[in-house]
Every structure is written in structure tokens, then in C-alpha cells.
Amino acid sequence: MTDGSDELTARLRGYEGHPAAVSGVGRDPVNLPMIRHWCEAMGDTNPAYRGPAAVAPPTMLQAWTMGGLSGHVGRTGAYDELMALLDGAGCTSVVATDCEQEYLRPLRPGDEIVFDMVIESVSGRKTTKLGTGHFVTTRTDVRVGDDLVGTHRFRILKYAPRARPSADRPRRPRPVVNRDNAGFWEGVAEGRLLIQRCTGCGTLRHPWLPGCNACGSLDWDTVESSGQGTVYSYVVMHHPPFPAFDPPYAVGLIELAEGVRMVSNVVGVPYDKVRIGLPVRVEYRRHEDGGGDGDEALTLPVFRVVEGLEGQV
């Protein structure tokens, strides 16, 4: 970060309140096919999202505002100017940190979405493990006609990457651990694959969430997975390259024997031998790459192809 950070912060905050997009229009009305695809991808079986009286899952709010690869018309230059100012100050990297949503009424098939986006806030200079930079928050107000139906706040950190100690191998990125998923990572560190279970209706869920997506209950406990599963789907990563990984490698969507699915690496066979239906079993890999900055070693669950069965699919 360059000198004159107070002056830079003042310039950055001058963009607060400026529109980032005006009168954006959803590319599609709220519709049942998108709702169905969303629910299938998320494993959400709530009956409120099916049938003639269906409503859209509230957490789909942002999906209706996305512009796709072609983007939206109606964007202003203020956001681009803000990003360019941060780039010029050395804050050339960006990471999404969190989002907040507020739902004012359910969205129903046929609703036509319009939205406005504003630069709500820019923080002062902050120092994080990633580096030093500024948090930028945008607020999107979603409307149907003149009615405000929801608000989406999205926050990023635009930062100057910190210099890292030289090492034979770059440091692997760490998972974001918060109060909602800390129990999962504690289990992994102990060599246990824990699945959340709703104590209201008994539904298992992964990834970990604060509430049940089937009945809405906030009460839950855990069950320990056997660690056995099959490859439900997969991709082979070639690009973009990342220093901590050696492409190409296979990333699988694993369906555990208990019925939930999780994303992890498939190991034990060459990347081009991974197939849908391949039987796998969890194993835990410990990465001693803290980089000398006080970070603990990282333990991650991966899925190894069951020996002797790889050729039977």
C-alpha cells in the first residue's frame, strides 16, 4: 500500500452512494425450470418450491439479477473507476468475503425483476492475512414493479497481496471456517467426516447450514459418515493454473453412502481415468505448508478410488 492512505481512503469514500448499475432488468422472469434446477443442485426438497402455488427459494434472490456472460446494460462507470483507483494504489487482487440478503416478500413464477445497484460503503485501510486493502460493499435493491422485494449486499476485499516467505511449494489456500461450519472442520482434523442432521425431520445436509432446507428447523446434531461413496459428477481442472496445485487434476462431486454430496479431489487413479459411478473412500491429507506465519497445518478430506474396483465402472 502506498503512502497517503488517509487521502486515498477519502477519495475512495467519495464513491459511496454512487450507482453501480441503474434500472437493471432480470434476463428472465421468475420461472419454475430455474427454481427446479436450483433446488436439485442444492438438494432443497421443500414442497413450497413445487406445484402450481410454488414460490422461489429466498436465497435465489441474486440469481434473478445475474446478467450471464454478456453482462447487463445500464452499468455506470463509478464502480469501474473505484476499482481502477484501487488497482493504481497496488490493490490488484480481489476476494469475495460475504453477502447479506433481506427478503421482503416471496418471488413467484412470472414476476419480472428490476434492480438498482449502489456502492454502499468503502472501508478504511484494513490489514488481513491476505494483505492490506479496502472492503467494498455494494447493495442491490430488487423490485417487482414498484415493490421492493429484497436487498442483496455483496462485500469484497480489494487488496495488495502480502509478500510471502520463499518456500519450495506455495501455500495452499485455507477454507473459510465460521460458526456455521466449524464443527465440520474440527471433525476433519480428527479424521471424522461429520454430516449435519436436522433433529426436527431427520434430513441430512451438506454443506453445513444454520437451518434445515427441508423443514426450516434450526436444531441439529451430527452423524459420522462411513466415508464411502461414488463419483456423482466431476471436472478435470487444466486452467487457470494456481501455484499450490499441479494441473491437470480431477475434482469430483462425491455422493456419500448416506445420500449427501460433497466436492473434493479424486485421487488414486490418473485424472483421465475418473468416471461417474467410480467407488471411492475418504482419506485425510495433512499439508505442512504454513509458510512460517504461525498457521497450523491443514487437513483436507479427499476421496481415493477403491482399489480393485476402478475398472468395473
Side-chain angles (χ1 to χ4, degrees):
M1 186 68 66
T2 59
D3 292 334
S5 59
D6 290 343
E7 179 182 351
L8 174 62
T9 298
R11 293 180 63 191
L12 295 172
R13 285 180 169 163
Y15 285 91
E16 292 180 345
H18 284 232
V22 179
S23 300
V25 179
R27 295 188 64 178
D28 299 285
V30 177
N31 62 85
L32 285 173
M34 287 180 66
I35 292 172
R36 184 179 70 251
H37 293 322
W38 172 279
C39 290
E40 289 177 354
M42 301 301 292
D44 196 332
T45 59
N46 193 316
Y49 309 141
R50 303 192 300 270
V55 298
T59 48
M60 281 190 75
L61 182 67
Q62 187 187 20
W64 309 112
T65 69
M66 291 180 173
L69 296 178
S70 59
H72 277 293
V73 297
R75 282 200 58 171
T76 69
Y79 191 79
D80 293 335
E81 293 173 10
L82 174 60
M83 294 296 104
L85 183 58
L86 286 163
D87 285 341
C91 299
T92 54
S93 295
V94 63
V95 62
T97 59
D98 62 284
C99 69
E100 302 171 10
Q101 293 184 337
E102 181 180 6
Y103 316 116
L104 301 180
R105 80 149 172 86
L107 291 172
R108 299 177 176 84
D111 282 343
E112 300 273 358
I113 296 298
V114 295
F115 59 94
D116 297 309
M117 184 186 299
V118 66
I119 301 168
E120 187 171 64
S121 66
V122 184
S123 78
R125 178 180 174 180
K126 303 291 184 181
T127 299
T128 73
K129 283 190 174 182
L130 292 175
T132 300
H134 297 261
F135 290 94
V136 178
T137 304
T138 55
R139 187 190 76 242
T140 303
D141 293 329
V142 182
R143 294 181 170 82
V144 174
D146 294 329
D147 297 332
L148 181 66
V149 296
T151 298
H152 175 83
R153 286 181 174 85
F154 190 70
R155 187 171 296 108
I156 65 170
L157 172 65
K158 195 82 161 70
Y159 64 98
R162 66 174 182 173
R164 291 178 177 169
S166 59
D168 293 336
R169 185 172 180 84
R171 178 179 181 270
R172 294 177 68 95
R174 263 49 185 168
V176 176
V177 180
N178 54 41
R179 62 182 180 181
D180 293 329
N181 65 12
F184 172 78
W185 292 108
E186 290 168 1
V188 167
E190 298 169 356
R192 304 165 63 216
L193 196 60
L194 299 180
I195 305 172
Q196 274 188 314
R197 176 175 59 189
C198 174
T199 55
C201 68
T203 298
L204 301 180
R205 63 180 185 262
H206 187 86
W208 283 33
L209 297 168
C212 179
N213 55 15
C215 72
S217 173
L218 300 178
D219 298 321
W220 56 272
D221 60 10
T222 63
V223 296
E224 184 173 351
S225 171
S226 67
Q228 299 183 48
T230 56
V231 176
Y232 184 83
S233 184
Y234 70 96
V235 297
V236 175
M237 299 298 297
H238 294 271
H239 187 81
F242 190 84
F245 301 95
D246 295 318
Y249 53 90
V251 178
L253 178 61
I254 307 302
E255 184 163 76
L256 296 175
E258 292 76 16
V260 300
R261 300 170 190 159
M262 66 179 295
V263 176
S264 187
N265 291 98
V266 180
V267 301
V269 296
Y271 70 89
D272 57 352
K273 300 300 182 182
V274 176
R275 296 290 184 270
I276 291 173
L278 206 58
V280 292
R281 182 179 293 116
V282 73
E283 69 176 42
Y284 300 91
R285 290 191 171 180
R286 185 176 174 87
H287 299 274
E288 302 280 358
D289 61 352
D293 55 6
D295 289 337
E296 296 181 357
L298 175 65
T299 301
L300 293 174
V302 298
F303 286 86
R304 178 171 293 277
V305 174
V306 177
E307 187 175 354
L309 298 179
E310 61 269 21
Q312 299 182 22
V313 178

